[in-house]
Amino acid sequence: MNNMAIYNNTIVDQKTGHVHFPRHVATTLINVYAYNNIFYGDLESSSFPDATGYGYNASGGGGTAGGMNEQTGLRNSIFANYAGHDYRLAYATAPGLKLTGLSWWNDTPDAFYGQLDYDTDMYGKLRGADGIWDRGAYEFVGGVVGRPHPVAPSNIRVQ
């Protein structure tokens, strides 16, 4: 595997398998990076021992993520509503690694793929705006986590 970055993901309750690039892989991993991921409730540990660079991952509720500066012991209270499958952060994680300065980061549009790397989460929250680039898919920027988007009403009849 070459030229792959696995970063800022939230992987929850993975019950079969795990994310793992083992040391006995026949091919060499070239330019493979794994940073700032959250692995929660996984039965097995996830690791990237032969990656070019990995660390600043977080884990809890099961296996571990490994790597340098791992945050362990996360509780499900880290999420806005674990039981309701709302995995936005209820509070900041330990500081993750600011990725924008790394050699593989490319935040300019590509002619074929479009935008490749983002320094915002899917809600448009700028990572690191409060001084901490959070681990996981969602950035926490102070305050109280809002409610998830409401579900569209059903069984409504207008008379």
Side-chain angles (χ1 to χ4, degrees):
M1 285 189 269
N2 299 325
N3 303 317
M4 181 170 60
I6 304 162
Y7 62 93
N8 287 112
N9 295 287
T10 298
I11 300 172
V12 177
D13 293 335
Q14 180 176 289
K15 298 299 182 196
T16 58
H18 54 284
V19 179
H20 183 69
F21 295 121
R23 293 190 186 281
H24 62 275
V25 171
T27 58
T28 304
L29 302 178
I30 300 170
N31 296 325
V32 175
Y33 302 91
Y35 292 111
N36 297 340
N37 299 292
I38 291 178
F39 299 95
Y40 186 85
D42 300 334
L43 292 179
E44 299 181 46
S45 297
S46 296
S47 63
F48 310 91
D50 284 340
T52 308
Y54 82 103
Y56 294 88
N57 296 299
S59 61
T64 61
M68 64 178 186
N69 296 305
E70 179 188 12
Q71 179 181 359
T72 59
L74 291 181
R75 302 204 180 278
N76 66 17
S77 60
I78 187 81
F79 303 116
N81 184 351
Y82 174 75
H85 308 289
D86 182 354
Y87 303 121
R88 292 176 297 151
L89 295 174
Y91 52 87
T93 65
L97 180 63
K98 182 179 179 182
L99 302 176
T100 56
L102 299 181
S103 61
W104 53 267
W105 185 267
N106 179 4
D107 62 353
T108 58
D110 178 271
F112 182 75
Y113 293 106
Q115 187 74 21
L116 297 177
D117 294 316
Y118 292 89
D119 59 358
T120 58
D121 72 7
M122 65 189 78
Y123 287 102
K125 291 184 178 179
L126 180 64
R127 294 192 182 275
D130 61 353
I132 297 174
W133 184 304
D134 287 303
R135 302 163 194 227
Y138 303 100
E139 184 71 9
F140 181 75
V141 185
V144 178
V145 173
R147 299 179 59 150
H149 298 290
V151 175
S154 61
N155 298 324
I156 294 179
R157 198 171 95 186
V158 178
Q159 295 186 4

